[in-house]
Amino acid sequence: NAGVTQTPKFRVLKTGQSMTLLCAQDMNHEYMYWYRQDPGMGLRLIHYSVGEGTTAKGEVPDGYNVSRLKKQNFLLGLESAAPSQTSVYFCASSFPDRALIYEQYFGPGTRLTVT
Amino acid sequence: GENVEQHPSTLSVQEGDSAVIKCTYSDSASNYFPWYKQELGKRPQLIIDIRSNVGEKKDQRIAVTLNKTAKHFSLHITETQPEDSAVYFCAASRAGKSTFGDGTTLTVKP
C-alpha cells in the first residue's frame, strides 16, 4: 500500500495563478482532509470530506476550493494564488474504528511558494 | 469550536533527562487525543494517543496522561535521546475532526 500520496511535492506560483493539489489514498478511507502548516503553528484544517461527493469547510477555507469526485482522491484548488497562501499543505485520511475513533494518516506534504 | 493550547513552545533538555509537554482543550466532547512527532521537512507521525475513557497510557519511554475534568493532557518522554529532537504536536479530536496545538520544539543536547 502506498498510503496517502500528494502531488506535486513542490510548486512555485506567481500571484494570481491557479493550481490544483492532488491527494490520493489507497486505504479505502471515508474521511479526507486538507491542512496547511505555517512556521511556528500547528496544522490548520482548510476543508474536509466525510465521503465521496461531500465536502465541508474547516477552520481556514477562504481562497480554497475542494472536490471529492472519487473516494480515493481529494483535490485542493487555489483559483487565484496569494502570497499569504505560501505554506506547506498536508493531506490526511481516516476511518472510524469500533469506538468511532478516527486515526489520521498523513501524506508527505506539498511545499507551495507564491511570489 | 475547539481550542487547543500547547506549552511550552520550545523545550531544551540534557540527554537522559525527562521532557513534559502540556496541552489544554476547550470542547468537553473531544474524545481522542493523539500526539505527533514531526521532523524537519517530514510529515507528522503519530507516536502515542489516548482516548477519553483512559487516564494514562505508556509505550516504552513515552507516556500520555489525560485529565478530563481539567481538560488537559500531557506527553512525558523519559530518558531522552538526541533522536527525540523534533517538533511535537498535540491534538484534540471529536467525530473525525482534529484541532492541533501550535507545537513544541524539543531539543535534546548530547
Side-chain angles (χ1 to χ4, degrees):
Chain A
N1 286 352
V4 181
T5 59
Q6 292 182 231
T7 309
K9 290 184 171 55
F10 303 94
R11 185 73 186 267
V12 178
L13 286 180
K14 293 188 191 304
T15 298
Q17 287 185 320
S18 63
M19 78 163 295
T20 301
L21 282 67
L22 171 63
C23 176
Q25 53 96 3
D26 61 2
M27 298 175 282
N28 202 35
H29 287 174
E30 289 293 335
Y31 281 50
M32 295 187 74
Y33 315 81
W34 276 107
Y35 294 95
R36 61 178 287 172
Q37 185 177 34
D38 300 307
M41 299 184 73
L43 288 88
R44 291 185 292 167
L45 184 64
I46 305 171
H47 286 281
Y48 65 103
S49 168
V50 301
E52 181 179 320
T54 75
T55 63
K57 293 181 181 180
E59 183 185 352
V60 288
D62 294 343
Y64 305 95
N65 56 75
V66 288
S67 65
R68 183 101 181 266
L69 298 179
K70 293 183 179 180
K71 186 177 184 179
Q72 63 267 35
N73 294 338
F74 194 29
L75 278 64
L76 178 71
L78 287 73
E79 289 187 349
S80 179
S84 60
Q85 293 178 304
T86 293
S87 190
V88 179
Y89 291 85
F90 286 99
C91 175
S93 69
S94 73
F95 72 98
D97 65 12
R98 288 184 180 180
L100 298 182
I101 298 296
Y102 295 75
E103 179 182 342
Q104 294 191 17
Y105 295 77
F106 286 89
T110 294
R111 185 173 295 275
L112 174 66
T113 302
V114 183
T115 61
Chain B
E2 175 69 278
N3 182 49
V4 175
E5 294 190 358
Q6 182 172 345
H7 299 281
S9 57
T10 61
L11 180 59
S12 181
V13 300
Q14 210 64 37
E15 182 178 359
D17 287 350
S18 295
V20 180
I21 302 170
K22 299 182 179 182
C23 288
T24 61
Y25 63 100
S26 61
D27 186 353
S28 57
S30 290
N31 63 348
Y32 175 58
F33 305 91
W35 285 90
Y36 298 89
K37 176 183 181 182
Q38 187 178 32
E39 296 175 337
L40 193 62
K42 304 286 188 181
R43 76 190 81 187
Q45 294 277 8
L46 178 69
I47 56 171
I48 196 167
D49 55 20
I50 192 165
R51 302 175 182 213
S52 60
N53 59 348
V54 175
E56 185 174 355
K57 183 177 178 181
K58 189 174 181 181
D59 182 4
Q60 299 183 341
R61 297 186 296 109
I62 296 174
V64 58
T65 58
L66 171 65
N67 183 326
K68 282 195 301 181
T69 303
K71 296 202 200 73
H72 67 70
F73 55 113
S74 301
L75 177 70
H76 304 253
I77 305 175
T78 59
E79 300 171 20
T80 53
Q81 302 166 2
E83 51 265 37
D84 293 330
S85 296
V87 180
Y88 291 81
F89 293 97
C90 64
S93 301
R94 171 192 177 193
K97 282 180 65 179
S98 295
T99 301
F100 290 78
D102 285 342
T104 296
T105 300
L106 174 64
T107 303
V108 180
K109 300 176 188 174

